[in-house]
Amino acid sequence: MTESPLFSRILIANRGEIACRIIDTCRRLGIETVAVHSEADRGSRHVRMADHAVEIGPAEASASYLRAERVIEAAKASGAEAVHPGYGFLSENADFARALADAGIALVGPSPETIETMGSKARAKTLMDEAGVPLVPGYHGDDQSDGTLAGEAERVGFPLMLKAAAGGGGKGMRVVRSRGEFGDALGAARREAASAFGDERMILERYVERPRHIEAQVFGDTHGNVVHLFERDCSSQRRHQKVIEEAPAPGLDPELREELLAAAVRAAEAVDYVGAGTVEFLVDDKGFYFLEMNTRLQVEHPVTEAVTGQDLVEWQLRVAAGQPLPLSQDEIECRGHSIEARIYAEDADHGFLPDSGTVRALEWPREDWVRVDRGIDAGDAVGVHYDPMIAKLIVTGDNRTECRARLLEALSATHIAGLTTNLGFLQQLAASDAFRDSAIDTGLLDRDLDALLDREARPPGTVLAAAALSFLDAASPNSKETRSSPWEAADGWRLGAPAPLSFDLEIADTRANVHCTCHDDGAVVIAFDDRELRVRAGRVENGAQSITVDGGSSRLRVHGDRAVREIATRSRRWTVRRHDRFEAVGGAGPGSGRIVAPMPGKVLAIRVAEGDSVEVGQTVALMEAMKMELSIKAEVGGSVTAISVGEGDLVEADAVLLEIEAD
């Protein structure tokens, strides 16, 4: 049989790291790429990497990346033979797939009928039941009236899960634990689903307490072949958004693994699946339950690539071109272990609020066991219009113990300046006992986050000492090449001794005056808060600094520039800021009555009017940024005296939304 030729040019209907990742494979295969982009993404990395680029609309996804007709027009105009949708946006939109087929353009994905079938939760559940796949009880009907959903919620029982019928990725999902919470949760989930997928339909499912989330990678072709490429564990989730994924699933009973993988293949065969798909399951001590099937490539596909040695995007392109699967089931092997950590522009210490800004500098680990899928370069702007995930760090090892150790090393070596990221959170999670012991269920991070991450821990003296030495080194006008010590700088003079230097440093919301004095033996004495540390800096090897404090040696990394340093140990990182001596810090704190935007974003709603009385904790406004909806609550009780913004306004962080005169 003559093998079908691959495409010569494809359009990528996506952005960010997944668009860049697809371009990488296309380059290797000699396929030209066409990027589409919004006005906000004109200078983005995926646009720079592609061979051609077409602008398709304003910044809002609903006016650009979610406009199927504009994507298809761009494909036609650019001469693309196929469209790769990536994940999110239009990747699971049956109407888009059908319109592409009508235009004579191939979709790198399953048929419109398959997308539609698995997108209909009710029909999908029926087919899975017929295929012998265990199900979670719930409601997946077409009647979406408030009354029907409320009645079905009572039938299913609490706690239950509200889920967007048209999508995934944690968008439009809410856990509802009581009848009283249902109405507000339904409204919020609908709005989030409409914003992310253009479809506010919901499904209800019994909420399985403390399960693991384990999914199987499946692949089918147009020749009737269906295989699995083993499973992934995606239990490390926060607010239903995956954070760390790994393959294979650790500690999974071998017999259960075989049953789960066989069920996943049956699920794909039941819908004549073509292309890359993922069958997701909830797993507890009683067995496994079908959750949903994602008819696209997954964010976490690199861990499967790492343990199987296969390029899943290449498989997608070959299958879409009519070629058979590259390997049979017996030829697919799983070797070693791989873990992926998702890097988000968000502040883990302040409610995981999304952040935006310009990337001033980037540092990535360079070992051959590390892979970085990223959508940013130094100098790029990260805005408020899209998902806050900016990169993925993937490590591989012979076993899970080695892989986890490498993950901690790679995370500590990574630095992103200009944005607040979740790198420190990822380090603490990966270093936790729960992650080490594979004891994480899907609700653990939301249930026990503070205990898991030890938020009250104070920075060790080693961290402050390393920061002080770093700022001390930067303060010297002498170059490193011409001096052996910062004390050789001609920046002060004192009879019989070098001039001491001091800094005002802020770490973990605490500001301290730090005095540094050099001694004849080459040690530096660092004094702060009635403490003195005798410090010696050792050699820097592979980016890591050895430092001896009071006789004990530690290894850490110092990142940063200007007035900010990130001190990364193996298990966490600390941000240290240098302030001018008499610089004022702080501002209006909680209880001031001034309600400000906690992040840059869009005002969705103002829930009060001037003159209204409000209570502490009452929701006064709703905001949206990076596809996340946030309730803004009153911190004091009193009367609303002024409202400074309106619905639909785009505001910056710390912009005043409204003011309350306290009772």
Side-chain angles (χ1 to χ4, degrees):
M1 182 177 65
T2 303
E3 188 174 84
S4 302
L6 284 176
F7 308 107
S8 58
R9 179 179 294 182
I10 72 164
L11 180 141
I12 302 168
N14 218 294
R15 64 177 303 280
E17 59 87 19
I18 183 55
C20 297
R21 184 264 170 277
I22 294 167
I23 291 171
D24 282 338
T25 291
C26 288
R27 279 182 176 173
R28 182 172 60 79
L29 296 175
I31 299 173
E32 283 190 74
T33 54
V34 181
V36 293
H37 64 91
S38 68
E39 293 175 359
D41 275 343
R42 284 173 182 162
S44 65
R45 186 171 187 262
H46 80 280
V47 173
R48 297 194 300 270
M49 287 182 63
D51 297 300
H52 312 277
V54 180
E55 187 170 309
I56 56 173
E60 292 80 5
S62 60
S64 52
Y65 295 106
L66 286 170
R67 293 290 295 272
E69 73 280 6
R70 294 188 179 179
V71 174
I72 294 173
E73 288 171 5
K76 289 178 178 178
S78 63
E81 300 165 281
V83 169
H84 195 307
Y87 41 70
F89 294 139
L90 297 169
S91 63
E92 294 180 284
N93 187 306
D95 291 337
F96 175 61
R98 195 169 287 113
L100 280 173
D102 292 343
I105 300 171
L107 173 70
V108 182
S111 68
E113 294 74 24
T114 298
I115 296 173
E116 197 162 55
T117 295
M118 299 313 289
S120 169
K121 304 304 180 182
R123 189 175 177 192
K125 294 285 185 179
T126 299
L127 284 172
M128 294 304 100
D129 194 26
E130 293 173 352
V133 181
L135 305 179
V136 178
Y139 172 74
H140 317 92
D142 293 329
D143 187 346
Q144 292 284 305
S145 65
D146 290 0
T148 295
L149 293 180
E152 290 296 327
E154 294 288 341
R155 180 186 64 79
V156 172
F158 297 96
L160 61 79
M161 175 76 80
L162 274 169
K163 296 174 58 179
K171 306 299 186 297
M173 295 178 67
R174 294 290 188 279
V175 176
V176 187
R177 297 194 172 274
S178 67
R179 181 186 300 110
E181 298 176 9
F182 186 77
D184 287 345
L186 176 62
R190 277 174 167 167
R191 287 190 297 272
E192 199 167 273
S195 174
F197 312 113
D199 187 338
E200 65 174 22
R201 291 177 299 130
M202 307 301 298
I203 68 170
L204 311 180
E205 287 182 347
R206 174 80 54 79
Y207 183 61
V208 181
E209 293 281 3
R210 305 193 178 188
R212 294 174 68 183
H213 179 123
I214 295 178
E215 60 189 32
Q217 177 71 62
V218 294
F219 238 102
D221 63 22
T222 57
H223 304 275
N225 303 306
V226 178
V227 299
H228 70 74
L229 288 91
F230 300 95
E231 84 287 350
R232 302 181 284 256
D233 189 321
C234 307
S235 301
S236 297
Q237 302 180 11
R238 191 191 61 79
R239 298 176 186 170
H240 317 298
Q241 179 66 62
K242 299 167 187 174
V243 179
I244 293 180
E245 305 100 345
E246 55 186 309
L252 193 62
D253 178 78
E255 185 176 343
L256 187 145
R257 171 181 281 113
E258 292 303 316
E259 292 176 1
L260 183 148
L261 293 174
V265 171
R266 292 198 304 272
E269 290 173 337
V271 291
D272 298 322
Y273 200 81
V274 173
T278 299
V279 185
E280 300 189 341
F281 299 95
L282 296 179
V283 179
D284 62 12
D285 56 2
K286 298 176 183 178
F288 62 92
Y289 312 93
F290 174 78
L291 183 61
E292 63 183 352
M293 183 176 189
N294 291 316
T295 53
R296 53 170 168 80
L297 197 65
Q298 292 280 92
V299 175
E300 55 273 20
H301 76 275
V303 295
T304 295
E305 294 183 323
V307 297
T308 61
Q310 303 302 312
D311 183 331
L312 298 191
V313 172
E314 178 179 346
W315 278 43
Q316 285 186 295
L317 294 168
R318 293 193 180 282
V319 166
Q323 296 181 14
L325 294 176
L327 298 175
S328 67
Q329 188 67 73
D330 292 341
E331 295 173 312
I332 302 170
E333 297 182 348
C334 179
R335 295 180 178 176
H337 202 89
S338 183
I339 305 177
E340 171 183 289
R342 301 188 185 191
I343 300 174
Y344 289 92
E346 63 183 13
D347 189 346
D349 292 328
H350 296 88
F352 292 90
L353 293 178
D355 195 23
S356 60
T358 299
V359 181
R360 293 201 313 270
L362 285 173
E363 296 176 40
W364 302 111
R366 297 183 182 141
E367 287 79 5
D368 58 7
W369 39 261
V370 178
R371 165 178 165 180
V372 179
D373 285 10
R374 72 186 194 276
I376 55 169
D377 285 325
D380 286 350
V382 175
V384 301
H385 302 287
Y386 313 111
D387 190 279
M389 188 177 71
I390 54 178
K392 302 180 306 195
L393 196 66
I394 305 102
V395 298
T396 306
D398 290 338
N399 53 61
R400 188 175 190 269
T401 299
E402 180 182 63
C403 192
R404 175 175 167 270
R406 287 178 168 182
L407 174 65
L408 289 167
E409 181 71 14
L411 287 169
S412 69
T414 302
H415 174 63
I416 302 174
L419 294 169
T420 301
T421 71
N422 68 332
L423 281 167
F425 163 69
L426 291 170
Q427 285 181 261
Q428 292 176 74
L429 175 56
S432 68
D433 292 345
F435 188 81
R436 179 198 63 201
D437 299 336
S438 304
I440 291 183
D441 60 72
T442 59
L444 180 65
L445 298 190
D446 293 324
R447 189 173 63 245
D448 298 322
L449 187 63
D450 289 342
L452 185 72
L453 302 184
D454 190 15
R455 292 179 180 276
E456 300 303 318
R458 305 305 301 167
T462 305
V463 169
L464 197 57
L469 285 181
S470 176
F471 285 119
L472 188 66
D473 187 71
S476 173
N478 291 6
S479 70
K480 294 181 180 179
E481 289 75 16
T482 59
R483 60 181 171 83
S484 59
S485 165
W487 305 102
E488 295 177 6
D491 55 358
W493 181 85
R494 177 175 294 182
L495 183 63
L501 293 177
S502 63
F503 310 102
D504 276 4
L505 301 183
E506 180 187 350
I507 181 171
D509 297 324
T510 300
R511 186 167 168 177
N513 182 235
V514 179
H515 296 270
C516 305
T517 307
C518 181
H519 285 238
D520 292 339
D521 60 0
V524 179
V525 172
I526 297 176
F528 61 96
D529 294 339
D530 299 324
R531 295 178 61 189
E532 281 194 355
L533 303 176
R534 193 175 186 85
V535 182
R536 291 179 184 272
R539 297 178 62 181
V540 176
E541 294 184 357
N542 297 323
Q545 168 83 56
S546 65
I547 183 170
T548 301
V549 178
D550 292 341
S553 181
S554 300
R555 180 175 178 271
L556 43 74
R557 295 176 185 270
V558 180
H559 304 289
D561 58 1
R562 302 180 185 176
V564 180
R565 296 286 188 275
E566 273 193 338
I567 312 299
T569 65
R570 186 172 182 271
S571 61
R572 67 188 304 164
R573 67 181 55 208
W574 307 88
T575 299
V576 184
R577 291 179 173 82
R578 177 180 176 178
H579 293 284
D580 292 335
R581 176 56 49 84
F582 300 107
E583 175 187 346
V585 296
S592 67
R594 299 174 73 246
I595 307 298
V596 300
M599 59 186 179
K602 182 178 181 179
V603 178
L604 294 179
I606 299 294
R607 292 284 185 85
V608 294
E610 290 187 13
D612 284 358
S613 295
V614 297
E615 300 177 353
V616 175
Q618 178 180 336
T619 298
V620 295
L622 296 175
M623 284 188 63
E624 180 187 53
M626 295 182 175
K627 297 185 181 180
M628 186 181 81
E629 181 178 304
L630 181 71
S631 296
I632 311 297
K633 300 183 183 298
E635 296 177 337
V636 299
S639 299
V640 179
T641 58
I643 296 176
S644 306
V645 296
E647 295 183 6
D649 287 355
L650 295 176
V651 297
E652 296 297 326
D654 298 324
V656 176
L657 305 178
L658 54 94
E659 298 187 37
I660 300 171
E661 183 176 339
D663 290 338

